[in-house]
Amino acid sequence: MKEDKITNGEMEKLIETFTPMIKKKLQNTAYQEREDLEQELYIKLIEKVDWLIYQEVPGFWEFIVDYLTKL
């Protein structure tokens, strides 16, 4: 597993980056459901960022060796 970790400040910056897009898209949603949907979108954003950062990805040579052994 990677040792890289995203800091709270970096996560906040990422959320700030996506906030205008999320707010704009929420205008297509019923007013009563916007707040709940907005919270769900932020939760999904955080989950996906964590998943992308902490997934193990093989290096180039590991990938090539694995690919060639499967041929």
Side-chain angles (χ1 to χ4, degrees), residues 14-71:
L14 187 68
I15 289 171
E16 288 173 9
T17 301
F18 278 91
T19 296
M21 182 182 66
I22 289 172
K23 295 279 188 192
K24 184 176 180 180
K25 298 299 180 184
L26 286 173
Q27 292 175 354
N28 297 330
T29 305
Y31 181 76
Q32 298 83 359
E33 298 177 15
R34 286 183 188 170
E35 189 174 325
D36 290 339
L37 182 56
E38 183 177 7
Q39 290 176 1
E40 288 296 322
L41 289 171
Y42 288 129
I43 290 170
K44 287 295 181 186
L45 176 64
I46 292 168
E47 287 174 355
K48 294 303 175 185
V49 167
D50 282 342
W51 181 79
L52 286 171
I53 287 177
Y54 298 116
Q55 72 178 349
E56 290 188 31
V57 180
F60 176 75
W61 292 112
E62 292 172 303
F63 173 77
I64 294 298
V65 168
D66 187 45
Y67 178 76
L68 292 175
T69 55
K70 290 181 179 179
L71 289 181

Side-chain angles (χ1 to χ4, degrees), residues 2 6 8 68:
K2 286 184 175 182
I6 190 165
N8 287 341
L68 292 175

